[in-house]
Amino acid sequence: MLDFKKEIAELLSKELPDLYLEEIKEMIEVPQDSKMGDYAFPCFKLAKTLRKAPPIIAGEIAEKIKGSDLFEKVEQVNAYVNMFVSKEKLGKDTLSAIIEGGEKYGTSELGKDRTVIVEYSSPNIAKPFHIGHIRSTVIGNSLYKIYQALGFDMVRINHLGDYGTQFGKMICAYRRWGNKEDVEKEPIKTLLDYYTKFHVEAEKDPTLEDEAREIFAKLERGEPEEVELWQWFRDESLKEFSKVYDMLGIEFDSYAGESFYSDKMPRHEKELEDSGLMQESQGAKIVDLEEEGLGVALIKKSDGSSIYITRDIAAAIYRKETYDFYKNIYVVASQQSLHFQQLFTILRKMGYEECADGCVHVPFGLVRLEEGTMSTRHGRVVFLEDVLNKAVEKTREIIAEKNPGAENIDEIAAQVGIGAVVFNELSNNRIKDYTFKWDTVLNFDGETGPYVQYTHARCCSLLKRAGEDVSSKAEALGKSGDVDFNYLSGDAAHELIKLLYTYPDVIVQAAERYEPSLITRHIIDIAQEFNRFYHDEHIITENEDEKTAKIALVLATRNVLRNGLALLGVASPERM
Ligand code: ARG
């Protein structure tokens, strides 16, 4: 596809021999207001070297480049050269790239032969998969798809929280108050009740904490009774988590969780010991990171039991040795930022610089409930499965009301209801805290998933209404760049084409910034611009050439909306 910015930079560089091409390219702007052109070049910086006033320079440049067939019009406005690209050139190139590319439009080979790990979801065994985990799951899944689209080799890891002192508490509680049938009937809710009860009772009787610690130590030593209970909790929990993953269409390549590293820690504890990084402090083992302003990291408790960060040290090194990753991305709440800073610093100090260089913590903000912050200990949680089921149920009601005879209502309600939750999640800038409100999630108007899905379905229905002959002609002529662009020169069509044209760049930016919401935003813009085009123009007209040109644009829009939704992990039904 034609790279307009680069073409323009090359044109300008002929007039500005003192500047590097890259420098010129960086100076080119995209004006907020399209009345100022599609691209603009500011001349302030040139005044010094050229010893002329910026508006004069802008005027001279405008004069020299305006003959190029890249442009429809070039104007000097104050210190700027404002460039209006040839609508035909842009349209031809964009439509043909999109129609030719199909599902591949927007993808590239940027990441060829490099491996990226995305670690996401990572819920804790025997604890609910709550709405707080949806952020990690959904953001991680989207980052996986985004990086994959850029040609990286991908590894998806679910770093299950299947180890740690909480299992001592859980086993302790189960033995005291538990009952096998209840656990089998409703594993996670039941185990959560025990866990909550443990904390209530331990406040009255602190010796319970000691008992739990003792049980965990036995588990670490591999005592069969403890291991058996732990394994049972893990299996039952995974069954529950899988229900949610199936609903969301999410998969993992590895479920190597914390327990996987239990036998890999001694090697690194020895390295820490030998290098003198690890110190004794009140019977425990620590690494002092005060100099780095990161406090002290506890590596081993005084009773000899291992710690979260120690398992993470082993995990990072294991991943480097196993996958030789280019990036190892952790999608984990911002509450754990200090933990990851400590982790990466310790890896560096241990001499694993290359490993540390590739590690990235992608943090995200907290989810609050309207009643306050979520807390597993106090049993104040919203279960993700309930959220998804409720969203599907509500969607079914809306469809049944709007369109009583709708076919496949179950399938569509699932795609739209779950899509609404996922899209909502990815609409927020990830770092911001937000409050989970049913009304916003299930709002089907405005800047939501259902709105984009509906626009996609509208494109599909236009393609059908235009008929097989026109649609295939539009496809063929769109591909070869031979539709009549005079019919696509209106404002809405031109703005829409510009958005479709920049879509591949948005994918790259989303990857660089680990921010799927850039894609969400971009496809909302496309949907809005398309709907403006739909309302401004008569698409299914009598004039065959006009209809063909417009249908080619509808086809291109449909492709990009579908591809964009797929990168978010949202389905695009053809009818709603
Ligand atoms: N299981 C943890 C939690 O739910 C998240 C794990 C994050 N990943 C890691 N490598 N530490 O809070």
Side-chain angles (χ1 to χ4, degrees):
M1 198 165 55
L2 200 62
D3 182 344
F4 272 89
K5 233 183 186 170
K6 192 164 147 254
E7 298 284 329
I8 293 173
E10 275 164 10
L11 207 58
L12 288 170
S13 90
K14 286 195 205 121
E15 311 304 328
L16 301 165
D18 291 344
L19 295 181
Y20 289 111
L21 191 65
E22 270 312 303
E23 237 175 312
I24 297 177
K25 204 173 161 191
E26 299 231 310
M27 282 167 72
I28 298 172
E29 296 174 1
V30 176
Q32 285 286 343
D33 180 357
S34 52
K35 287 195 195 68
M36 310 303 279
D38 302 308
Y39 294 96
F41 186 70
C43 297
F44 304 103
K45 267 171 76 183
L46 307 173
K48 222 171 156 188
T49 38
L50 298 179
R51 296 167 177 273
K52 279 185 217 166
I56 296 187
I57 303 172
E60 288 174 2
I61 295 179
E63 202 49 46
K64 290 222 174 90
I65 65 172
K66 79 176 181 209
S68 160
D69 66 352
L70 282 177
F71 307 121
E72 206 159 272
K73 190 167 73 173
V74 179
E75 284 176 350
Q76 171 246 326
V77 177
N78 300 323
Y80 285 88
V81 185
N82 291 345
M83 297 161 268
F84 298 79
V85 301
S86 152
K87 288 177 185 152
E88 171 152 7
K89 219 178 175 57
L90 175 72
K92 241 186 189 167
D93 237 68
T94 307
L95 291 199
S96 103
I98 297 173
I99 296 171
E100 176 88 53
E103 286 181 4
K104 288 228 151 66
Y105 179 68
T107 65
S108 72
E109 297 274 279
L110 208 74
K112 201 167 179 289
D113 296 331
R114 281 180 293 178
T115 298
V116 168
I117 294 176
V118 189
E119 185 217 284
Y120 58 105
S121 198
S122 309
N124 299 320
I125 293 303
K127 292 213 203 146
F129 196 113
H130 57 65
I131 187 71
H133 284 119
I134 193 186
R135 299 214 79 186
S136 172
T137 307
V138 164
I139 295 169
N141 184 49
S142 180
L143 288 177
Y144 152 69
K145 288 176 188 266
I146 290 169
Y147 273 87
Q148 188 185 47
L150 298 179
F152 289 93
D153 294 329
M154 302 304 296
V155 183
R156 298 163 290 183
I157 299 182
N158 192 337
H159 188 77
L160 286 177
D162 58 1
Y163 215 65
T165 46
Q166 72 269 27
F167 288 94
K169 295 176 185 175
M170 209 92 64
I171 293 173
C172 171
Y174 174 73
R175 283 181 177 156
R176 281 175 176 252
W177 313 293
N179 160 325
K180 192 158 183 251
E181 287 81 63
D182 289 347
V183 176
E184 276 168 352
K185 221 187 288 152
E186 237 185 344
I188 294 188
K189 284 183 185 169
T190 309
L191 290 168
L192 177 67
D193 281 346
Y194 299 157
Y195 189 66
T196 310
K197 188 169 165 95
F198 178 90
H199 286 281
V200 174
E201 298 295 323
E203 255 165 51
K204 291 181 248 164
D205 175 9
T207 63
L208 278 180
E209 296 276 359
D210 297 327
E211 191 179 323
R213 219 168 286 135
E214 180 50 35
I215 296 175
F216 178 61
K218 283 191 185 162
L219 183 61
E220 281 218 293
R221 287 198 300 269
E223 308 254 346
E225 279 171 38
E226 279 72 19
V227 171
E228 195 185 320
L229 275 177
W230 167 83
Q231 186 68 49
W232 180 49
F233 292 167
R234 191 183 194 272
D235 294 346
E236 293 296 324
S237 302
L238 258 183
K239 268 192 235 159
E240 294 252 337
F241 297 151
S242 300
K243 278 196 238 161
V244 174
Y245 295 140
D246 288 347
M247 288 175 96
L248 290 168
I250 280 174
E251 290 171 311
F252 296 93
D253 302 304
S254 158
Y255 282 88
E258 293 185 41
S259 69
F260 180 76
Y261 301 99
S262 61
D263 63 348
K264 296 173 183 58
M265 285 180 292
R267 172 186 147 199
H268 304 302
E269 282 165 13
K270 188 166 182 311
E271 287 169 337
L272 280 166
E273 196 90 61
D274 293 348
S275 61
L277 282 170
M278 196 149 75
Q279 300 164 10
E280 288 262 347
S281 170
Q282 297 161 348
K285 300 279 175 67
I286 59 149
V287 173
D288 187 340
L289 300 170
E290 291 291 0
E291 228 170 74
E292 287 81 4
L294 298 174
V296 162
L298 184 59
I299 301 291
K300 215 172 175 133
K301 288 191 191 171
S302 52
D303 63 10
S305 59
S306 72
I307 293 249
Y308 184 52
I309 196 166
T310 320
R311 296 188 280 277
D312 259 327
I313 294 172
I317 296 169
Y318 175 84
R319 289 178 193 173
K320 185 71 197 173
E321 289 173 353
T322 309
Y323 304 107
D324 191 22
F325 58 72
Y326 162 68
K327 271 179 202 255
N328 174 28
I329 299 172
Y330 298 87
V331 186
V332 184
S334 59
Q335 286 156 308
Q336 298 194 30
S337 289
L338 177 64
H339 165 79
F340 285 104
Q341 281 174 317
Q342 290 184 332
L343 171 63
F344 303 158
T345 308
I346 294 174
L347 288 170
R348 231 175 266 289
K349 285 188 162 234
M350 289 171 79
Y352 293 98
E353 274 105 1
E354 214 191 305
C355 171
D357 284 345
C359 289
V360 192
H361 175 211
V362 173
F364 53 83
L366 226 68
V367 187
R368 287 172 216 285
L369 298 180
E370 283 166 286
E371 322 64 275
T373 318
M374 215 141 17
S375 159
T376 321
R377 287 195 184 194
H378 298 96
R380 199 167 52 227
V381 290
V382 172
F383 294 96
L384 180 51
E385 203 185 329
D386 297 344
V387 175
L388 296 177
N389 282 328
K390 189 163 169 180
V392 173
E393 206 31 64
K394 273 203 96 114
T395 311
R396 192 200 313 269
E397 283 165 24
I398 295 171
I399 298 176
E401 194 186 297
K402 282 194 180 166
N403 186 357
E407 287 168 46
N408 296 346
I409 185 160
D410 288 338
E411 191 190 345
I412 295 175
Q415 290 177 324
V416 177
I418 291 169
V421 176
V422 172
F423 196 95
N424 171 71
E425 202 46 63
L426 297 173
S427 304
N428 302 298
N429 173 313
R430 71 180 151 70
I431 205 72
K432 277 197 199 138
D433 292 356
Y434 86 101
T435 304
F436 182 85
K437 292 193 188 117
W438 277 108
D439 288 353
T440 336
V441 176
L442 296 179
N443 181 359
F444 284 47
D445 304 307
E447 306 186 337
T448 64
Y451 171 73
V452 176
Q453 286 176 319
Y454 186 75
T455 308
H456 170 268
R458 170 172 277 168
C459 292
C460 295
S461 119
L462 281 164
L463 293 173
K464 251 203 221 115
R465 269 173 51 208
E468 185 56 43
D469 288 354
V470 173
S471 289
S472 22
K473 192 167 159 203
E475 185 174 350
L477 296 186
K479 221 182 254 184
S480 58
D482 291 321
V483 298
D484 188 342
F485 282 92
N486 287 319
Y487 297 113
L488 299 177
S489 59
D491 254 5
H494 180 57
E495 290 306 313
L496 175 58
I497 289 172
K498 277 198 324 196
L499 290 168
L500 299 175
Y501 169 76
T502 48
Y503 171 75
D505 293 340
V506 176
I507 301 180
V508 175
Q509 282 163 22
E512 280 170 357
R513 286 158 60 182
Y514 311 102
E515 190 60 273
S517 68
L518 295 179
I519 291 175
T520 315
R521 183 68 256 164
H522 197 73
I523 61 176
I524 290 173
D525 290 346
I526 290 175
Q528 285 173 339
E529 210 52 64
F530 176 79
N531 286 316
R532 182 156 79 103
F533 169 69
Y534 177 82
H535 291 295
D536 285 3
E537 310 244 0
H538 194 184
I539 296 175
I540 311 285
T541 62
E542 292 302 310
N543 179 332
E544 178 93 13
D545 290 341
E546 179 176 355
K547 192 165 38 175
T548 307
K550 289 178 172 174
I551 284 296
L553 180 55
V554 172
L555 177 64
T557 306
R558 187 214 56 187
N559 283 0
V560 176
L561 290 178
R562 178 197 59 204
N563 294 1
L565 285 168
L567 290 183
L568 303 175
V570 174
S572 32
E574 296 194 0
R575 267 181 314 170
M576 278 171 68

